Amino acid sequence: MSETMLAVRRMTKRFGGLMAVRQVTLEIPQGAIASLIGPNGAGKTTFFNCVTGFYTPEEGDILFRGASIKGLRADQIAWRGIARTFQNIRLFGEMTALENILVGMHPRLKGGVLAALTGLHGGEERRAIARAMELLEFVGLAGYGDYPAVNLSYGLQRRLEIARALASNPALLLLDEPTAGMNPGETDEMMVFIRRLRDELALTVFLIEHDMKLVMGVSDQVSVMDYGQKISEGTPAAVQSDPAVIEAYLGTVSHTMMEEFDETPLPPEARG
Ligand SMILES: Nc1ncnc2c1ncn2[C@@H]1O[C@H](COP(=O)(O)OP(=O)(O)O)[C@@H](O)[C@H]1O
Ligand SMILES: [Mg+2]
């Protein structure tokens, strides 16, 4: 029997007159890979920002492993076991890859790595560095520990961001457009890597993603937002053939995205 990792109930977040998230209810079982998709401006990042404590929703509740986290600060939520990456990479560019991960071990501290390390002495510091090295290796950055983050390729910076998120030992990992700006080869590697996060680290993964091949290939469940509302949810196949989803995407999506979206053949009964 699997526990519910995240349960969001009728959550609403407004910016002035705009309802960026409108009465959205969504559950993610432990061990799932769940995706949140929808056109630009649908409210996906705002949804993540509410779950991770960057914003407090005006209405509704957010339960993490059965306990409400609504109203907690971002660092408190991080300590409870939710980590995230950002749509736009947020690394300390002048710090090394290793130092960026060490900072990730201390979500309470907003200062630099020196501040993060002041609390560590002797064996504790050695253990922290050993763990950071393990994480570098897990994300495919073995040997890059001494590189300033800014010198890493874009694809490697994305992986370093994930390593930093993993450093806080989360149970739930939120990835906001992990393949944004990646080429097709890097995107395929990311798909394999997301599976490893679940299979090897036993994480529950919740991702916002535009690449439909990745979404359809990796997700146990897909939720679709449009204009702040959840308009569809289900298996990749069910969501892909939902007329409401096709309509939402037809309105806004670029041709290349639509081509990718059409790549998986429709079931026979859906063909003309
Ligand atoms: N801090 C903010 N202040 C005002 N409006 C915002 C803010 N953040 C997001 N929005 C608006 O909320 C809507 C949803 O944005 P966002 O959650 O970023 O969408 P998505 O991630 O699906 O592209 C957009 O109309 C956006 O302009
Ligand atoms: Mg976004």
Side-chain angles (χ1 to χ4, degrees):
M1 200 180 65
S2 97
E3 143 186 54
T4 299
M5 184 60 68
L6 180 72
V8 175
R9 305 227 190 278
R10 300 182 73 80
M11 182 171 84
T12 293
K13 173 65 197 162
R14 293 188 184 83
F15 296 112
L18 174 77
M19 270 210 216
V21 176
R22 183 191 291 242
Q23 297 278 315
V24 174
T25 293
L26 192 153
E27 284 197 8
I28 301 177
Q30 179 175 25
I33 298 176
S35 292
L36 183 59
I37 67 170
N40 283 327
K44 307 180 297 295
T45 295
T46 302
F47 189 93
F48 270 25
N49 283 335
C50 290
V51 169
T52 50
F54 286 75
Y55 300 137
T56 302
E58 286 85 16
E59 291 169 36
D61 204 358
I62 306 164
L63 302 146
F64 176 58
R65 304 187 121 167
S68 179
I69 54 168
K70 187 185 165 187
L72 296 183
R73 293 191 315 265
D75 61 286
Q76 295 171 317
I77 291 173
W79 273 116
R80 285 183 191 220
I82 303 181
R84 72 174 297 178
T85 62
F86 295 88
Q87 190 169 342
N88 304 305
I89 294 177
R90 292 193 194 180
L91 291 166
F92 296 100
E94 71 288 0
M95 282 190 204
T96 67
L98 188 80
E99 287 168 339
N100 269 281
I101 297 179
L102 290 170
V103 171
M105 289 178 186
H106 297 264
R108 214 193 286 270
L109 296 172
K110 296 196 176 81
V113 72
L114 285 178
L117 287 172
T118 23
L120 300 179
H121 302 287
E124 210 182 10
E125 179 173 346
R126 275 196 301 278
R127 274 193 300 280
I129 290 171
R131 169 85 181 126
M133 301 283 270
E134 263 174 38
L135 287 168
L136 278 173
E137 190 174 347
F138 181 79
V139 303
L141 281 167
Y144 288 95
D146 293 335
Y147 280 55
V150 72
N151 289 5
L152 297 174
S153 73
Y154 187 78
L156 293 184
Q157 286 187 21
R158 282 261 169 221
R159 280 166 180 262
L160 177 58
E161 238 209 337
I162 294 174
R164 187 183 62 184
L166 294 175
S168 63
N169 280 324
L172 173 64
L173 178 64
L174 273 53
L175 304 172
D176 195 345
E177 300 200 20
T179 72
M182 284 189 176
N183 64 42
E186 290 171 327
T187 301
D188 284 347
E189 282 171 24
M190 183 56 70
M191 171 144 55
V192 173
F193 182 66
I194 288 169
R195 286 206 195 95
R196 287 181 59 213
L197 290 169
R198 192 262 304 273
D199 297 341
E200 294 176 29
L201 301 184
L203 285 171
T204 303
V205 182
F206 189 22
L207 66 146
I208 296 172
E209 181 53 53
H210 280 301
D211 187 280
M212 287 304 144
K213 186 174 160 226
L214 185 148
V215 168
M216 298 304 161
V218 87
S219 311
D220 300 303
Q221 101 181 30
V222 181
S223 306
V224 189
M225 285 181 73
D226 192 22
Y227 293 109
Q229 288 180 289
K230 188 173 89 176
I231 60 162
S232 185
E233 189 168 71
T235 62
V239 159
Q240 209 166 5
S241 55
D242 183 343
V245 176
I246 294 164
E247 176 125 345
Y249 271 89
L250 275 175
T252 52
V253 95
S254 74
H255 280 293
T256 41
M257 272 185 65
M258 237 7 248
E259 276 157 24
E260 279 183 287
F261 196 70
D262 282 341
E263 228 168 49
T264 307
L266 290 169
E269 67 272 18
R271 290 198 202 109

